[in-house]
């Protein structure tokens, strides 16, 4: 395997394997649907290397696309056939706390050989996903994640609805996951575990067939441990319809670039306006070179529609609050510190003040408000029905992707300036030295994690929780 085939932090050409993505499986029957985590193999490098040993839901990478309908009850039985305890977290679903899947906070991790029933009714339609919440940095790096699609009761008119899960893997020359580097402090204290091999739906550079004139809904999800993706669809002006599952007023981003931090999602509507036989790429443009993540292959001889379609109407609103009471909000600061090239001299961990060396011995290099890792008491306690504002300050040399469980929030201040038009999100990318105030209506009682979704940062200290008093 030639080095030139690998994705690097600087960006490089990808291999040429061109395979068709596997379609998702539709589920959602009233009987529990079993979701089994187990060891499996996946042809991550296509023909260029033997299949990689992975961990996958139902033995697949990514796991099955779970499709359900808004406000319909979903019953999933998670069966753990791994050699490690695990859980399933339903990222972005404003769920009952007991179903949130956070080991050590909302449930005990499910031991190998045992199962746990997740029953919940998604209040919002949109693009969500699921992944473990125990040793997430390792279990996701090995392939445990999948998309959860909640359909609107009246979905927009499109010809096809495609879910694309992006992931970067760290593979060795033999095509196997580089296990030796799992848990490396160098990754934990820098950008997190960045992979060298990009896949879309578990395949390197898949070909997505389409016909001229088709209208597609594309659901993009960043399932990387730590890599921020910048995606651009060559030759098309895509309509951005929703972020993190929540509808926005549709628009076409000027440069066509959609930036997705780890865990973020975007829904697009794309009209296939090129000529039969065209083969534009979905490019990943965050590096020095644009990488072809996937191709849209226009059929040479089929035309679905000649005339252009009118711009799409906005997706129907989800039941989120129409306003937030910022004046009466409970305010809490969240100072983010640590990491390589940071100024942090020490932090509290497990109830004790420690210097950097001692922290590193404990696998800790980041802190929120001077504390590394989870604490007995929450960052804030807020009564149900009140608005809370968390003022985040990124005093580190790295970007972070802050995720709040159980709620969507809005950025209401950025670097000291009030903002009124920012979209609802469940995960926020905060650049180095940036400040943002996020506001949410604390309407979902329970214990909710707030952490960096760069999973190595989470594991190395960037994790706390918020309690909404019922
Ligand atoms: Cu996507 Cu706390 O997780
Ligand atoms: Cu981070």
């Amino acid at each position: 395997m030639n080095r030139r085939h690998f994705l690097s932090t600087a960006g490089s050409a990808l291999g040429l394997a061109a395979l068709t993505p596997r379609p998702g499986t539709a589920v959602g029957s009233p009987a529990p649907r079993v979701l089994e985590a187990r060891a499996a193999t996946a042809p991550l490098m296509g023909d260029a290397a033997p299949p990689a040993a992975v961990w996958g839901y139902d033995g697949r990478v990514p796991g099955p696309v779970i499709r359900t309908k808004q406000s319909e009850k979903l019953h999933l039985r998670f069966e753990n056939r791994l050699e490690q305890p695990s859980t399933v977290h339903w990222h972005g679903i404003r769920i009952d706390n007991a179903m949130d899947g956070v080991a050590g906070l909302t449930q005990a991790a499910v031991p190998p050989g045992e199962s746990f029933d997740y029953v919940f009714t998604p209040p919002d339609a949109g693009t969500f996903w699921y992944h473990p919440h125990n040793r997430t940095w390792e279990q996701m790096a090995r392939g445990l994640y999948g998309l959860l699609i909640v359909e609107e009761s009246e979905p927009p008119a499109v010809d096809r609805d495609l879910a694309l899960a992006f992931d970067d893997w760290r593979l060795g020359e033999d095509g196997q996951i580089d296990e030796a580097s799992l848990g490396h402090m160098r990754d934990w204290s820098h950008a997190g575990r960045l992979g060298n091999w990009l896949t879309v739906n578990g395949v390197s550079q898949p070909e997505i067939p389409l016909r001229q004139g088709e209208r597609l809904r594309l659901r993009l999800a960043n399932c990387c441990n730590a890599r921020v993706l910048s995606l651009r669809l060559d030759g098309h002006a895509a309509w951005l319809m929703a972020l993190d599952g929540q509808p926005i007023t549709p628009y076409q981003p000027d440069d066509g670039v959609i930036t997705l931090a780890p865990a973020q999602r975007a829904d697009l509507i794309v009209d296939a306006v090129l000529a039969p036989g065209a083969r534009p790429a979905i490019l990943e443009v965050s590096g020095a070179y644009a990488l072809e993540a996937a191709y849209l292959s226009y059929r040479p001889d089929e035309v679905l529609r000649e005339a252009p379609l009118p711009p799409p109407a906005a997706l129907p609103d989800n039941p989120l609050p129409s306003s937030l009471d910022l004046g009466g909000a409970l305010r809490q600061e969240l100072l983010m510190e640590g990491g390589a090239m940071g100024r942090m001299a020490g932090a509290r961990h497990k109830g004790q003040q420690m210097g950097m060396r001692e922290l590193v011995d404990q696998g800790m290099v980041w802190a929120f408000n001077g504390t590394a890792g989870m604490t007995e008491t929450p960052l804030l306690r807020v009564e149900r029905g009140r608005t809370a504002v968390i003022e985040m300050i990124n005093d580190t040399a790295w970007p972070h992707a802050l995720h709040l469980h159980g709620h969507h929030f809005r950025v209401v201040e950025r670097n000291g300036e009030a903002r009124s038009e920012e979209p609802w999100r469940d995960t926020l990318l905060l650049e180095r030295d940036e400040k943002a105030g996020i506001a949410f209506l604390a309407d979902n009682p329970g214990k909710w994690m707030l952490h960096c979704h760069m999973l190595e940062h989470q594991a190395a200290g960037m994790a706390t929780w918020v309690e909404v008093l019922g």
Side-chain angles (χ1 to χ4, degrees):
M1 185 58 37
N2 189 307
R3 269 283 152 213
R4 284 183 298 108
H5 290 273
F6 289 85
L7 180 67
S8 76
T9 47
S12 65
L14 275 174
L16 294 172
L19 303 175
T20 306
R22 262 176 319 211
T25 314
V27 297
S29 60
R33 193 261 192 240
V34 172
L35 190 64
E36 189 182 84
R38 60 171 188 259
T41 58
L44 299 177
M45 282 194 174
D47 296 335
V54 297
W55 293 356
Y57 290 111
D58 292 353
R60 296 165 54 177
V61 168
V65 175
I66 298 173
R67 275 189 185 263
T68 187
K69 282 205 158 24
Q70 185 173 19
S71 306
E72 263 182 29
K73 188 189 275 182
L74 194 59
H75 187 172
L76 291 139
R77 178 161 300 156
F78 168 58
E79 292 188 351
N80 185 2
R81 307 260 171 261
L82 304 169
E83 60 199 32
Q84 275 182 14
S86 192
T87 60
V88 187
H89 168 59
W90 312 93
H91 183 118
I93 302 288
R94 298 188 294 133
I95 203 166
D96 282 350
N97 194 241
M99 297 292 128
D100 200 40
V102 178
L105 188 69
T106 67
Q107 69 169 98
V110 182
E114 295 192 15
S115 71
F116 188 93
D117 278 22
Y118 291 97
V119 183
F120 57 94
T121 304
D124 300 326
T127 303
F128 302 95
W129 65 302
Y130 60 96
H131 62 74
H133 224 293
N134 189 52
R135 289 178 72 86
T136 321
W137 53 274
E138 174 180 1
Q139 297 189 3
M140 262 185 53
R142 292 182 182 276
L144 287 168
Y145 61 86
L147 294 196
L148 171 59
I149 292 176
V150 184
E151 289 171 353
E152 297 85 8
S153 47
E154 289 179 38
V158 294
D159 298 305
R160 262 180 321 148
D161 180 329
L162 294 176
L164 303 178
F166 291 75
D167 192 9
D168 67 337
W169 304 78
R170 192 177 294 178
L171 302 180
E173 311 256 320
D174 56 357
Q176 300 299 309
I177 292 173
D178 176 1
E179 294 184 333
S181 66
L182 278 166
H184 262 193
M185 215 15 95
R186 203 198 128 78
D187 293 331
W188 288 34
S189 62
H190 289 70
R193 183 179 175 90
L194 299 175
N196 53 12
W197 188 257
L198 187 63
T199 61
V200 179
N201 293 350
V203 173
S204 170
Q205 300 187 315
E207 299 272 349
I208 301 163
L210 81 168
R211 291 163 294 173
Q212 187 193 23
E214 264 192 293
R215 173 163 278 189
L216 305 179
R217 178 176 187 167
L218 294 182
R219 302 169 183 269
L220 313 180
N222 182 343
C223 301
C224 300
N225 272 41
R227 182 181 292 270
V228 178
L229 298 171
S230 293
L231 302 172
R232 187 166 65 73
L233 200 55
D234 223 4
H236 298 76
W239 293 93
L240 187 54
M241 304 299 294
L243 291 167
D244 294 355
Q246 302 298 352
I248 58 169
T249 304
Y251 73 99
Q252 297 175 316
D254 282 343
D255 52 3
V257 175
I258 314 271
T259 296
L260 292 179
Q264 290 186 325
R265 292 89 61 213
D267 283 50
L268 305 180
I269 284 188
V270 178
D271 291 327
V273 293
L274 301 186
R279 189 168 168 265
I282 301 178
L283 298 165
E284 204 288 307
V285 298
S286 66
Y289 305 95
L291 306 168
E292 289 85 6
Y295 294 99
L296 296 180
S297 298
Y298 281 65
R299 293 195 191 283
D301 42 16
E302 262 182 90
V303 174
L304 183 74
R305 181 177 291 120
E306 303 273 1
L309 290 166
L315 297 171
D317 278 341
N318 282 321
L320 284 160
S322 53
S323 67
L324 291 163
D325 174 19
L326 299 181
L330 182 67
R331 294 189 157 258
Q332 172 67 50
E333 189 175 282
L334 183 77
L335 178 66
M336 302 152 62
E337 292 177 296
M341 294 168 278
R343 285 182 284 268
M344 188 166 89
R348 281 186 83 73
H349 179 61
K350 293 184 180 156
Q352 283 184 50
Q353 188 64 31
M354 298 182 184
M356 280 314 284
R357 175 174 296 210
E358 217 182 330
L359 284 171
V360 168
D361 285 344
Q362 302 276 330
M364 294 287 138
V365 273
W366 306 92
F368 283 159
N369 291 354
T371 297
M374 291 291 275
T375 46
E376 292 289 316
T377 51
L379 173 77
L380 84 155
R381 281 206 169 95
V382 54
E383 312 86 71
R384 183 180 194 175
R386 192 165 174 198
T387 296
V389 173
I390 301 177
E391 297 158 338
M392 301 177 174
I393 303 164
N394 181 0
D395 190 22
T396 77
W398 304 90
H400 299 287
L402 277 295
H403 170 47
L404 174 65
H405 285 216
H407 299 77
H408 274 70
F409 56 80
R410 261 186 149 132
V411 170
V412 292
E413 295 151 15
R414 247 185 222 273
N415 303 317
E417 257 178 59
R419 312 281 293 183
S420 56
E421 296 297 327
E422 299 233 8
W424 290 103
R425 300 224 67 140
D426 59 44
T427 306
L428 174 70
L429 179 62
L430 205 58
E431 299 291 344
R432 59 183 292 178
D433 294 326
E434 212 186 355
K435 291 183 201 169
I438 63 161
F440 62 97
L441 177 65
D443 58 356
N444 196 359
K447 299 175 174 179
W448 303 107
M449 269 195 91
L450 170 63
H451 63 86
C452 182
H453 221 290
M454 284 142 177
L455 301 172
E456 293 70 27
H457 296 175
Q458 174 192 355
M462 294 196 117
T464 185
W465 59 290
V466 162
E467 184 166 23
V468 178
L469 303 167

